[in-house]
Amino acid sequence: MPDVDEVVGEKRLAFPFDVPAGESRAVWVDVHVPPHARPGTYRGAVTVKGDGFTSRVEVRLQVVDAVLPSTSSLRSAFLLWPPHVCRAFTGDPVCPVDTQVRLLKLFHRMALEHRITLASGFPREVNLPTWDLPDYDTFSERWGPFLDGSAPNRLPGARMTALQYLGPANGASLTEFQTEADTRGWLSRSFDYVGDEPPYGSTWEAVAARAELTRTAAPKLRTLLTSTVTELEAHGLLEEIDIITVLVNFIDGTQPPYVGDQRPKYDDFLTQPNRELWLYQSCASHGCAPGEPPPPENIPGQGWPSYMVDRSAAKARGMQWLDFINGASGELYYQTVGLLFTAWTTQFRFNGNGDGTLFYPGLPSIIGGTTEIPLPSLRMKLIRQGMQDYEWLKLVSDAGDPAYARAVARKLIPHAWAVPDDGEAFDRARLQLIRRYLQLCRNRVTPP
């Protein structure tokens, strides 16, 4: 619940609020440091007033001589199903395209300001899984600013890092998309999701057929599949897939056949042109079946990364460190608005609180004001912190000390199943990276 919202700047209903006896409340404060801010120490104070008391909290902010890129270096494809947005904001999963466009533009802006990309967030209908695409000029007019970085955003120039092909499964449409995306500068970020977790979400036969279709009709459009290199080799499809997206539990696992570090198995695949390794997390991090206990690795102080409401906040910040450790160039998340309609009361899905729901519906009837907007969850803000952590890891690596960056990351998270619950440990690790980066910058010698 915002005080003044992040989208249109309206006063909302966050304050004042009551705190029942014996309970506590937390207030999350975001600080955005603009790119032109001068390095140095800034001081201020927050005054908390209640019935019969006033408390003053001193605040110190250290601004360093470095600028993180507005567009995330780690690509992301966080998916969004528009009918869920329609239902949350209108009460009906079917809503006019103009309504979808208006709302989805707000979702895209919110996502980019939190350093993630809604790769599938374009108008669609319940019974029409492909996008409602009148023509590519209209698509470009609506969504081009988010793809080229000209849309209004508090991160100047932030642009989408991934675009999912959502057109019909036929050769003519795929060929047209490849041509249009190439002409408009989107092709290098585009992908065709040729199957999901075979043999469960898709059959291997369906994956093979779709991959062959895309390879034939749009050979420059990269194919993406959620699987492992072991499975692809076993089914003779390794040459057909450009982006292998691996469940985090399978890249450094504890259960056969993926016990231990599996990352070296992808080295040969990644030596080929235009091949990428992405990671994703799922209900496997907390147990997918109703009543199923958490995986045994989820003991206090460690466990798999997780975007669940009731996991420790640090768990939502750990995934991007694992992306870096494993040399993954992208991250997939299957849904962001799964239970948007009931987000204020329940988000329990796939045996997890918050599974597939990272936004809240900012309806004036709930949050006040006059404008309906999407609201980011605290987990989305923690994901943003993880994306920022990734930038620091990359900055240190690119500045000349990749071994140091990797050592800091490995000390913080020694295994994919050992993400700590200690948020301060993440902050200490980030501070180490910042200090090392500034040291590397000072030591650079400008050639004559």
Side-chain angles (χ1 to χ4, degrees), residues 22-225:
E23 296 186 12
S24 63
R25 294 292 183 269
V27 176
W28 179 287
V29 180
D30 265 341
V31 178
H32 174 59
V33 180
H36 62 269
R38 297 182 62 181
T41 301
Y42 294 75
R43 290 181 170 83
V46 176
T47 301
V48 181
K49 296 181 179 180
D51 292 340
F53 80 93
T54 298
S55 180
R56 179 180 170 89
V57 180
E58 300 293 332
V59 178
R60 182 175 66 87
L61 173 66
Q62 184 72 27
V63 175
V64 299
D65 189 12
V67 178
L68 298 185
S70 292
T71 299
S72 295
S73 301
L74 177 66
R75 298 175 64 195
S76 61
F78 281 53
L79 306 185
L80 180 149
W81 177 235
H84 292 327
V85 174
C86 289
R87 187 182 182 194
F89 284 90
T90 71
D92 190 333
V94 178
C95 65
V97 169
D98 288 348
T99 300
Q100 293 188 51
V101 170
R102 174 176 58 83
L103 290 170
L104 292 176
K105 283 183 176 181
L106 299 179
F107 276 84
H108 278 287
R109 174 183 168 180
M110 183 62 63
L112 287 177
E113 290 188 354
H114 288 77
R115 298 182 176 273
I116 61 174
T117 292
L118 301 177
S120 65
F122 310 107
R124 280 174 284 169
E125 298 177 10
V126 173
N127 297 319
L128 183 66
T130 58
W131 50 20
D132 187 338
L133 185 64
D135 58 76
Y136 279 98
D137 286 339
T138 300
F139 184 89
S140 183
E141 180 183 357
R142 291 171 176 170
W143 312 110
F146 297 97
L147 285 156
D148 64 27
S150 62
N153 199 286
R154 287 183 295 174
L155 298 179
R159 66 177 195 162
M160 297 174 64
T161 59
L163 173 63
Q164 182 181 353
Y165 171 72
L166 297 167
N170 63 63
S173 296
L174 281 159
T175 299
E176 182 185 20
F177 175 80
Q178 176 179 272
T179 301
E180 294 287 346
D182 197 10
T183 300
R184 300 171 193 272
W186 309 333
L187 188 58
S188 64
R189 291 170 279 165
S190 301
F191 64 90
D192 186 23
Y193 201 153
V194 298
D196 184 59
E197 295 183 335
Y200 308 106
S202 307
T203 66
W204 283 107
E205 292 76 14
V207 170
R210 180 56 181 260
E212 182 180 2
L213 172 65
T214 304
R215 275 281 189 263
T216 302
K220 294 194 290 185
L221 174 61
R222 284 191 281 184
T223 54
L224 180 148
L225 179 68

Side-chain angles (χ1 to χ4, degrees), residues 424-442:
E424 290 187 6
F426 281 86
D427 289 338
R428 288 193 298 270
R430 178 191 280 200
L431 186 57
Q432 286 181 282
L433 295 168
I434 293 172
R435 287 172 173 167
R436 181 57 179 152
Y437 175 71
L438 296 176
Q439 182 185 48
L440 290 167
C441 290
R442 286 194 297 268

